[in-house]
């Protein structure tokens, strides 16, 4: 077993306490809400992926799939911890978000041995670093928005069928989930716009053109259009519920195909 896989497994284990905690609460084991254990589990869940990510990118950014996934997990954990601290109900998304991040971490561990080429290009380092940071933040924000949207979808379905479950009783109410969804979507749209702008700047420095019709660019632009359309529709017609949830999940799918999806094809399938 290589040293990298050992470190990756350690980061994965750091996510376990936070992933298990909400289900102990759902199972009625007397676990309190945002207790010291909850915050400690979140900090541990952030620290493991963050330290491993910093170790991998120390000196120079690697464009491998595993690195991208671990950086994304660390960003999601950081944003979720901050959101849980400033809102009353965001922490209730933990039964959906944290096991999902654990699953992503498992996939990142399995992809640890895939090729991880160094980033090369003629653009100034500041532009490349800014573009990478914006891309990671965008994907993390949209991940949280997709989880909030899925929570609203589950709550609405439970209300319509009059069959609430232990999970839906734990999740935020529909109105709170939709409010979180819209806030996160607006933030992801703004950051995604900045990401497209910085990507154009990097491409211009490297190739002298502002746009390139590749899969990543087209899928990112499509995500930007879908999110913008949803925000506009919500402002004008108040679109919400299942229709809004489907659009959010479509946007998340498009950005997933553009960000880790392209890396999976190039590094794993073709690498």
């Amino acid at each position: 077993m290589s040293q990298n896989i050992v470190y990756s497994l350690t980061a994965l284990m750091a996510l376990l306490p936070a992933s298990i905690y909400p289900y102990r609460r759902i199972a009625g084991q007397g676990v309190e809400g945002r207790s010291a254990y909850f915050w400690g589990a979140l900090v541990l869940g952030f620290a493991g992926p963050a330290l491993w990510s910093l170790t991998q990118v120390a000196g120079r950014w690697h464009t491998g799939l595993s690195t991208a996934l671990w950086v994304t997990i660390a960003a999601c954990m950081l944003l979720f911890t901050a959101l849980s601290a400033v809102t009353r109900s965001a922490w209730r998304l933990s039964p959906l978000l944290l096991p999902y991040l654990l699953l992503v971490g498992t996939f990142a561990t399995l992809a640890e041995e895939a090729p991880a080429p160094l980033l090369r290009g003629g653009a100034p380092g500041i532009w490349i670093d800014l573009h990478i940071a914006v891309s990671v933040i965008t994907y993390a924000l949209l991940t949280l928005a997709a989880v909030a949207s899925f929570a609203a979808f589950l709550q609405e379905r439970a209300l319509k069928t009059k069959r609430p479950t232990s999970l839906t009783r734990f999740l935020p109410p529909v109105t709170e989930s939709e409010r979180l969804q819209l806030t996160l979507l607006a933030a992801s749209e703004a950051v995604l716009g900045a990401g497209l702008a910085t990507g154009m700047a990097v491409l211009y420095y490297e190739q002298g053109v502002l746009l390139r019709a590749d899969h990543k660019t087209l899928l990112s632009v499509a995500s930007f259009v879908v999110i913008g359309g949803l925000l506009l529709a919500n402002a004008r017609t108040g679109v919400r519920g299942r229709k809004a949830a489907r659009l959010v999940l479509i946007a998340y799918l498009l950005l997933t195909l553009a960000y880790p999806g392209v890396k999976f094809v190039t590094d794993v399938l073709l690498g």
Side-chain angles (χ1 to χ4, degrees):
M1 184 180 295
S2 71
Q3 188 178 41
N4 283 358
I5 291 183
V6 172
Y7 289 150
S8 192
L9 285 172
T10 302
L12 188 64
M13 292 301 103
L15 287 167
L16 266 179
S19 301
I20 294 172
Y21 177 84
Y23 287 94
R24 292 182 59 198
R25 174 73 182 273
I26 292 172
Q29 296 184 13
V31 179
E32 297 180 2
R34 292 182 293 180
S35 63
Y37 179 89
F38 172 76
W39 294 116
L42 282 189
V43 171
L44 179 64
F46 163 70
L51 290 174
W52 178 220
S53 299
L54 289 174
T55 301
Q56 292 185 91
V57 302
R60 193 169 185 183
W61 179 264
H62 291 257
T63 62
L65 175 63
S66 181
T67 301
L69 292 177
W70 280 119
V71 170
T72 300
I73 292 170
C76 286
M77 288 299 299
L78 180 61
L79 290 176
F80 179 66
T81 302
L83 197 62
S84 298
V86 300
T87 64
R88 292 185 303 172
S89 58
W91 77 279
R92 291 184 175 273
L93 297 174
S94 54
L96 300 179
L97 174 68
L98 300 179
Y100 172 67
L101 294 182
L102 184 67
L103 181 63
V104 174
T106 302
F107 187 71
T109 302
L110 294 174
E112 192 61 53
E113 297 301 319
L118 290 172
L119 183 65
R120 293 182 174 87
I126 184 64
W127 282 109
I128 295 177
D129 293 342
L130 180 61
H131 178 62
I132 291 172
V134 168
S135 299
V136 171
I137 294 171
T138 299
Y139 192 68
L141 284 169
L142 195 55
T143 297
L144 296 180
V147 170
S149 179
F150 187 53
F153 172 82
L154 292 177
Q155 288 284 46
E156 184 181 359
R157 187 177 66 176
L159 288 173
K160 286 187 175 181
T161 60
K162 297 181 180 180
R163 293 180 179 178
T165 64
S166 298
L167 175 60
T168 58
R169 292 189 184 98
F170 185 93
L171 295 173
V174 174
T175 54
E176 287 295 314
S177 295
E178 290 181 339
R179 183 182 61 82
L180 286 170
Q181 167 194 302
L182 287 174
T183 301
L184 291 164
L185 277 179
S188 62
E189 179 77 343
V191 181
L192 179 55
L196 291 173
T198 55
M200 290 166 65
V202 170
L203 189 61
Y204 181 78
Y205 274 112
E206 292 181 351
Q207 301 181 17
V209 296
L210 290 176
L211 286 175
R212 184 175 58 192
D214 57 13
H215 295 86
K216 183 177 180 180
T217 301
L218 294 176
L219 290 168
S220 297
V221 171
S223 301
F224 185 81
V225 171
V226 171
I227 296 171
L230 177 57
L231 291 172
L232 183 61
N234 180 265
R236 290 190 172 183
T237 65
V239 61
R240 55 197 305 174
R242 296 188 180 186
K243 184 179 293 185
R246 290 190 186 99
L247 290 174
V248 174
L249 294 175
I250 288 172
Y252 184 63
L253 175 61
L254 290 171
L255 203 60
T256 298
L257 292 173
Y259 182 44
V262 171
K263 292 185 181 296
F264 175 74
V265 172
T266 57
D267 295 354
V268 178
L269 298 184
L270 301 179

